[in-house]
Amino acid sequence: MSPRSTHRARQVAAVHLLEVTATAVVLVAVGQAIGGHLEGFVLSPGWYWAMGIGGVVAAMAAGVAMGMSGRHARAEEAALHPRVLDVFYRRSLSAPPAPDEGGRVVTLAGDNAERVSEYRQVFYPDMIAALATPVLACLGILIGLDWLTGLVLLAMCPLIPALITGFLKLFRKRSAQSRQERARLSAAYLDAISNLVLIRMLGAGQRVEDDLRQRGEANRATIMRLLAGNQVVIIIVDGLFSLLFIVMSSGMAMTRWRDGHITATSAITIVLLSVLLLEPLHQVAAFFYIGMGGKASQKALGRWFDEAPQAPASHGSTSSTGEGSGAMTLRDVTVGYGDSEILHGVDLVIAGGSRTAIVGRSGAGKSTLLGVMTGTLPPRSGQVVVDGLDAEIAGPGAIRGASASVNQRTWLFAGTIADNLAVANPHATAEQMWDALRRADVADEVASMPRGLDSDVGEQGCLVSGGQAQRISLARAFLSGRKILLLDEPTSHVDMDSERRIIDAISRIGDDTTVVMVTHRRRLLELARDVYRVTDGTLVPLSADEVAREDTERAERQDRA
Ligand code: ATP
Ligand code: MG
């Protein structure tokens, strides 16, 4: 929770407390009026005023609190949306979005953001006020009416938070399940919508429809289970605990009155005030669902923000090895997917500002190795230090922020060229963008487009050629200013002219940037100081002869193909 959002929540809690205080004044005045009637004393007109003013203030405060918390929740939600998207864009700079990432973002920015906002701005302030209310009421009884009753009721107060925490714990798993189910459903919807044409072409409409229906049903079932739990909470709270508190305070008040320790007026006032003790329990019953959903969503958002790549540089404090300046070290790294182990015992030292090439047959694990370097693929064992940051200590977010990558397949999102470049550096000026485009040798083509930087690239870059898209993606990596550039076959899927331009652009990169490239292109291999082959799950350094042969073998294979 940001300081601003905490401040807002506190404001609402303060208004709630004003409402409670005004209600207490009304209850005391009503107690006085009934007591006066029973005991035959004349009520001073001040009590009538107190009753009237207290009632008006309580009603107004309730209205104001409701309006404020609603407004604050909307503002909080609006602030969360760009933050979620910002993390998404920054993540995608080091690696293309994972297949399920779109659905995850939709859920986080939609459902989760809404629930968290409600939780922080509606549930949380309500809860603070509700928990403070019984304590204040007991203190009022203790000081103003009867010390013993006040003390006994005060002693019972800790039961309330204990009970609430207990309920929250009890339903945590069910709530998390419901959240996951919703996330799966929206991912499936998004998938179906974005592949509508393909689904029709393949005649898979019925199957997709059935699948969506099934997921919808699973989602409904988990929500119903959660609501059923909520209902049980309401019954227990209202039926049992309300009764317990009312009986307790009434019993105490009556006994004390009978024994002559307090007046009838005080006894009646105590009974009336004891209604306030039930406030938090009513709140829990009414908002339990928001509270549970909010907590689970808060965790999901927290995880998402933790994974965010951090800004490069100025991170010396988290350095464990102090290598810095774009160096990378992998020590005894093992990595894989599911049950299969792809790489094992990999040792690799890459000096800052150097050029390293990785070769190997298809499926050997070259992209997997780069995944470890970008921080998107956590190793199963071993140490990964990127730009002086130990992945274990600094976290994947920090590692992701150290490098920029250009991948086998370009990742451009629907929007303008400027939008796509701004992902790398939101504060970049047009001049800086043009400079990056020039470095990637695509500036002329962009300049000749009717709208220049504001030209649309279409969905997944369909309005620019594959070679242009790849060079725009290279420009984006340049613009990021990150010290490490990871290129995964940057010249695959592009035409000859684009290939030449990309290779030229890479060869012009200065030695302030560390470059690791998966490639079989001779000119790129020549640029590299070290060349390694990924084979049988390990890395083998290649001699100059082997490198030369590597290239001819590859070229021959391609010619044959
Ligand atoms: P290519 O030259 O075709 O790009 P590569 O050397 O980059 O191949 P990787 O993509 O690293 O190969 O894949 C190495 C192995 O890991 C392959 O057997 C592949 O099937 C497997 N693999 C890759 N990504 C995943 C994944 N997300 N889940 C499961 N297995 C994967
Ligand atoms: Mg690959």
Side-chain angles (χ1 to χ4, degrees), residues 181-239:
E181 209 61 60
R182 270 198 313 281
R184 274 191 214 122
L185 184 64
S186 42
Y189 266 125
L190 185 72
D191 210 30
I193 291 170
S194 50
N195 294 305
L196 222 47
V197 177
L198 193 67
I199 290 169
R200 277 210 61 183
M201 271 168 35
L202 296 174
Q206 192 59 46
R207 194 178 53 71
V208 171
E209 197 183 316
D210 290 345
D211 179 53
L212 282 179
R213 188 177 304 123
Q214 232 172 38
R215 286 174 195 271
E217 176 55 25
N219 181 43
R220 190 196 63 78
T222 42
I223 288 189
M224 284 303 143
R225 270 202 296 279
L226 189 63
L227 286 177
N230 195 27
Q231 213 55 38
V232 172
V233 171
I234 293 175
I235 292 168
I236 295 178
V237 164
D238 275 4

Side-chain angles (χ1 to χ4, degrees), residues 208-519:
V208 171
E209 197 183 316
D210 290 345
D211 179 53
L212 282 179
R213 188 177 304 123
Q214 232 172 38
R215 286 174 195 271
E217 176 55 25
N219 181 43
R220 190 196 63 78
T222 42
I223 288 189
M224 284 303 143
R225 270 202 296 279
L226 189 63
L227 286 177
N230 195 27
Q231 213 55 38
V232 172
V233 171
I234 293 175
I235 292 168
I236 295 178
V237 164
D238 275 4
L240 276 174
F241 276 84
S242 303
L243 206 62
L244 177 74
F245 272 95
I246 297 276
V247 168
M248 198 59 201
S249 59
S250 310
M252 281 291 295
M254 291 309 131
T255 319
R256 296 284 287 166
W257 170 56
R258 196 192 55 204
D259 295 350
H261 295 295
I262 53 172
T263 62
T265 309
S266 298
I268 289 165
T269 312
I270 289 173
V271 173
L272 287 171
L273 280 178
S274 68
V275 172
L276 291 179
L277 297 180
L278 304 176
E279 187 62 18
L281 294 176
H282 283 316
Q283 290 290 345
V284 176
F287 294 109
F288 191 68
Y289 183 65
I290 296 184
M292 276 318 311
K295 251 192 130 109
S297 297
Q298 181 148 290
K299 265 202 186 146
L301 273 173
R303 266 199 305 276
W304 177 253
F305 291 137
D306 284 347
E307 287 171 17
Q310 286 144 25
S314 70
H315 50 222
S317 57
T318 45
S319 168
S320 63
T321 61
E323 287 169 30
S325 63
M328 269 189 290
T329 310
L330 273 63
R331 283 193 199 103
D332 200 15
V333 166
T334 298
V335 62
Y337 308 93
D339 293 334
S340 60
E341 197 174 279
I342 305 294
L343 301 173
H344 46 83
V346 170
D347 286 303
L348 178 64
V349 177
I350 292 175
S354 65
R355 307 277 172 274
T356 306
I358 312 282
V359 299
R361 60 169 180 74
S362 179
K366 304 180 294 295
S367 301
T368 304
L369 179 67
L370 290 198
V372 173
M373 294 177 179
T374 57
T376 43
L377 205 57
R380 289 189 179 157
S381 64
Q383 191 190 24
V384 179
V385 182
V386 177
D387 197 25
L389 294 166
D390 188 320
E392 279 281 307
I393 302 167
I399 302 293
R400 277 186 189 176
S403 62
S405 51
V406 176
N407 292 281
Q408 281 176 295
R409 285 186 190 276
T410 328
W411 180 77
L412 293 181
F413 66 92
T416 65
I417 291 176
D419 291 337
N420 272 282
L421 291 175
V423 166
N425 178 357
H427 308 294
T429 60
E431 197 35 58
Q432 286 169 320
M433 289 186 181
W434 280 114
D435 190 45
L437 291 170
R438 264 192 295 275
R439 283 181 66 194
D441 202 6
V442 65
D444 291 349
E445 283 140 291
V446 174
S448 68
M449 292 176 188
R451 306 195 54 197
L453 276 179
D454 293 324
S455 311
D456 221 317
V457 298
E459 255 180 62
Q460 293 171 7
C462 64
L463 299 182
V464 290
S465 79
Q468 285 170 343
Q470 195 69 327
R471 279 177 283 142
I472 292 171
S473 139
L474 185 62
R476 179 163 65 186
F478 287 149
L479 193 63
S480 73
R482 294 184 185 172
K483 275 186 270 179
I484 301 171
L485 216 51
L486 302 173
L487 311 170
D488 193 350
E489 305 205 36
T491 58
S492 57
H493 310 289
V494 301
D495 54 278
M496 294 286 279
D497 179 51
S498 279
E499 174 173 328
R500 185 184 50 76
R501 288 169 182 236
I502 290 171
I503 293 176
D504 285 344
I506 294 171
S507 59
R508 284 194 302 267
I509 296 173
D511 59 11
D512 53 346
T513 308
T514 312
V515 182
V516 178
M517 48 204 169
V518 172
T519 184

Side-chain angles (χ1 to χ4, degrees), residues 25-52 265 269:
V25 169
V26 174
L27 290 174
V28 171
V30 171
Q32 290 292 321
I34 300 173
H37 191 69
L38 285 178
E39 295 187 293
F41 63 81
V42 182
L43 199 64
S44 98
W47 286 115
Y48 290 110
W49 279 107
M51 221 182 285
T265 309
T269 312

